Amino acid sequence: GQQLNQSPQSMFIQEGEDVSMNCTSSSIFNTWLWYKQEPGEGPVLLIALYKAGELTSNGRLTAQFGITRKDSFLNISASIPSDVGIYFCAGREQTGANNLFFGTGTRLTVIP
Amino acid sequence: GAVVSQHPSRVICKSGTSVKIECRSLDFQATTMFWYRQFPKQSLMLMATSNEGSKATYEQGVEKDKFLINHASLTLSTLTVTSAHPEDSSFYICSASEGAYGYTFGSGTRLTVV
């Protein structure tokens, strides 16, 4: 199945810094989702986006659904140690099945 | 919010035996559930789509006879890894679709085949 291109692959940042990661696909998506996964756990939904251009916030997290419908970004402001984890983008194609395709993940490390 | 319960969280089995993993939607009905496999430090790869009352749809390269999926009710899907071998060791995660947009994941099952 399709896999989304997510970057960066990993990030090491100081506590308090802002973080930005993005995801691109080769096809048009009608839904973009951002998940966080911690070791030994399933992904937990952070933000869901349903319209092109949509900008949505969840606390210190902000995500946008790209105008082209082929990309999305996630920003985390003022990072804290508990932000550590792997962040995945996921999307559902405009046409076709109901399943999600996942990005390759961004491993975030926050240095206190 | 929607909750998906996955059981067991960890299982160790002997090579050649079969293992069943359950995925339950606790507070909603899920006509569709999804099974993913995740290797260490990698992303989730869709294995199959489980449809209530009908046959599962498998992704290319996933053996139907190796990974048996049953979705007998609107709240339960099971994945059975048959005749498991060490290469089947992995982290298996299910998710349930609550409607057009909702995708909730279980906490995953760590399978180790020895």
Side-chain angles (χ1 to χ4, degrees):
Chain A
Q2 177 178 177
Q3 195 162 68
L4 308 179
N5 294 314
Q6 187 173 344
S7 65
Q9 188 174 14
S10 63
M11 301 182 74
F12 290 81
I13 61 169
Q14 288 289 139
E15 182 177 359
E17 290 183 355
D18 297 343
V19 173
S20 184
M21 58 192 80
N22 66 75
C23 212
T24 60
S25 69
S26 57
S27 56
I28 292 174
F29 279 24
N30 65 6
T31 304
W32 280 98
L33 306 168
W34 284 91
Y35 288 88
K36 180 185 179 184
Q37 186 180 28
E38 300 194 12
E41 298 290 329
V44 174
L45 182 65
L46 300 174
I47 292 181
L49 303 160
Y50 305 119
K51 295 181 182 179
E54 181 180 355
L55 183 70
T56 299
S57 293
N58 178 8
R60 294 178 295 107
L61 279 62
T62 302
Q64 184 159 30
F65 192 140
I67 292 292
T68 65
R69 294 175 172 261
K70 292 184 177 182
D71 64 322
S72 177
F73 72 75
L74 173 71
N75 286 342
I76 305 173
S77 62
S79 59
I80 58 178
S82 61
D83 290 334
V84 166
I86 303 176
Y87 292 80
F88 289 102
C89 62
R92 191 176 73 173
E93 289 181 312
Q94 182 167 322
T95 58
N98 208 23
N99 56 281
L100 293 180
F101 294 102
F102 276 81
T104 46
T106 297
R107 184 179 296 272
L108 178 64
T109 301
V110 179
I111 303 167
Chain B
V3 178
V4 173
S5 174
Q6 188 173 339
H7 179 81
S9 58
R10 291 176 179 272
V11 58
I12 301 173
C13 71
K14 290 185 177 180
S15 187
T17 62
S18 295
V19 173
K20 181 185 284 188
I21 303 170
E22 293 186 347
C23 182
R24 294 181 183 273
S25 57
L26 296 187
D27 49 2
F28 65 99
Q29 293 183 331
T31 55
T32 306
M33 292 186 176
F34 305 93
W35 288 96
Y36 294 83
R37 183 173 181 176
Q38 186 177 33
F39 290 103
K41 298 186 178 181
Q42 292 191 22
S43 187
L44 285 75
M45 297 300 296
L46 181 67
M47 298 174 64
T49 301
S50 173
N51 304 298
E52 188 269 335
S54 64
K55 290 183 179 180
T57 305
Y58 290 82
E59 294 299 300
Q60 192 174 7
V62 178
E63 297 177 58
K64 299 178 183 181
D65 296 331
K66 161 68 92 175
F67 300 101
L68 299 179
I69 291 173
N70 185 283
H71 195 154
S73 77
L74 285 170
T75 58
L76 175 63
S77 175
T78 61
L79 168 68
T80 301
V81 183
T82 63
S83 187
H85 288 93
E87 57 266 30
D88 298 324
S89 298
S90 192
F91 193 55
Y92 294 88
I93 311 173
C94 70
S95 79
S97 175
E98 186 178 1
Y101 306 109
Y103 296 87
T104 303
F105 284 82
S107 55
T109 297
R110 170 79 57 197
L111 171 63
T112 303
V113 184
V114 298

